[in-house]
Amino acid sequence: MENKGILCVVSGFSGAGKGTVMKALLEKYPSQYALSVSATTRAPREGEEEGVAYFFKTQEEFQRMIEEDALIEYAGYVNHYYGTPRAYVESEMAAGRDVILEIEIQGALKVKEKFPEAVLLFIMPPTAEELKRRLVGRGTEDMATIEARLARASEEAAGMEQYDYIVVNDRLEACVEELHQIMISEHHRTGRNIEEIHKIREELKRFSKGE
């Protein structure tokens, strides 16, 4: 089977637990997956390492990356830019690792335009009530902020059909394993194994010719 990695774009509502799922997936299968590292124009915070938390860029460097098509996608948030460096993703995939890119819906659809073979996966809670319970349970935000997040989730739900797979994060371990099995299945798609198909065809032709 093909040993080139696959780009997997993961989205989900705030509070759905996608960050926790990604962390658990990488801990369980560290040799198979790599989490994409974003480039940003914001300054490093205490304890953040270059190339681990982010690739830290100046405004000029980031602008050059945009002009050179060195970013798969990018967006601006609160006076700073964030984007996905193409070189990092492609080098990890060439090394045989599946690259997990955790971004919101608009960014995910941009990635699909540039990488049609990318797998789009949406993580959702079992119910809207459970989503609200998790947001409240964090204890880090007031109700106005939580209600704003729920309103945002309602808007995002309109784009869920554009994803290839939906995974319900009810129990963490089960969700991680479902995601892993999806990626294994993707490696077996015929479209990702054209070379193997051609190879066996040629070998069989030689048999039919008595070679």
Side-chain angles (χ1 to χ4, degrees):
M1 305 305 293
E2 95 160 13
N3 56 11
K4 187 189 175 192
I6 295 170
L7 179 58
C8 177
V9 182
V10 176
S11 304
F13 308 128
S14 177
K18 58 187 180 299
T20 305
V21 171
M22 295 303 98
K23 185 171 182 284
L25 180 73
L26 268 72
E27 284 176 355
K28 190 171 183 180
Y29 303 103
S31 61
Q32 179 164 343
Y33 300 101
L35 192 63
S36 176
V37 179
S38 296
T40 182
T41 57
R42 77 159 171 78
R45 292 177 185 146
E46 189 176 343
E48 288 183 335
E49 292 180 45
E50 168 69 19
V52 178
Y54 289 97
F55 295 110
F56 295 101
K57 305 291 180 183
T58 64
Q59 290 281 357
E60 293 76 18
E61 287 171 333
F62 201 97
Q63 190 59 45
R64 199 176 310 123
M65 291 180 81
I66 294 172
E67 290 166 3
E68 294 173 355
D69 196 28
L71 296 165
I72 295 173
E73 58 79 38
Y74 67 92
Y77 297 101
V78 199
N79 303 322
H80 291 297
Y81 279 112
Y82 295 82
T84 304
R86 182 188 295 274
Y88 177 83
V89 169
E90 291 180 344
S91 67
E92 289 293 317
M93 288 169 62
R97 280 183 285 278
D98 294 336
V99 178
I100 307 289
L101 176 54
E102 188 188 321
I103 51 175
E104 40 69 51
I105 287 181
Q106 287 82 359
L109 298 180
K110 285 182 190 174
V111 172
K112 191 73 169 178
E113 285 176 16
K114 289 193 176 184
F115 280 81
E117 70 279 12
V119 176
L120 266 56
L121 194 145
F122 197 94
I123 293 178
M124 60 175 275
T127 64
E129 192 59 43
E130 173 62 14
L131 182 67
K132 183 177 181 179
R133 190 191 69 76
R134 289 178 188 178
L135 287 168
V136 172
R138 285 176 176 177
T140 56
E141 296 168 332
D142 59 26
M143 278 311 296
T145 304
I146 289 169
E147 283 165 9
R149 289 195 183 280
L150 291 169
R152 168 82 173 164
S154 181
E155 292 170 9
E156 289 175 333
M160 289 170 68
E161 291 92 340
Q162 297 179 80
Y163 282 70
D164 299 308
Y165 298 94
I166 300 291
V167 177
V168 176
N169 181 21
D170 191 359
R171 292 186 304 109
L172 178 61
E173 284 184 17
C175 182
V176 166
E177 202 50 39
E178 274 185 37
L179 200 158
H180 180 58
Q181 291 304 323
I182 285 169
M183 295 308 293
I184 288 174
S185 297
E186 281 293 324
H187 277 277
H188 290 271
R189 273 189 186 271
T190 52
R192 299 189 195 276
N193 293 280
I194 298 301
E195 284 184 23
E196 291 295 316
I197 293 169
H198 289 327
K199 184 182 174 187
I200 195 76
R201 278 180 181 159
E202 290 305 313
E203 289 172 353
L204 290 166
K205 276 181 189 173
R206 287 201 293 273
F207 284 148
S208 66
K209 290 175 184 174
E211 293 179 17

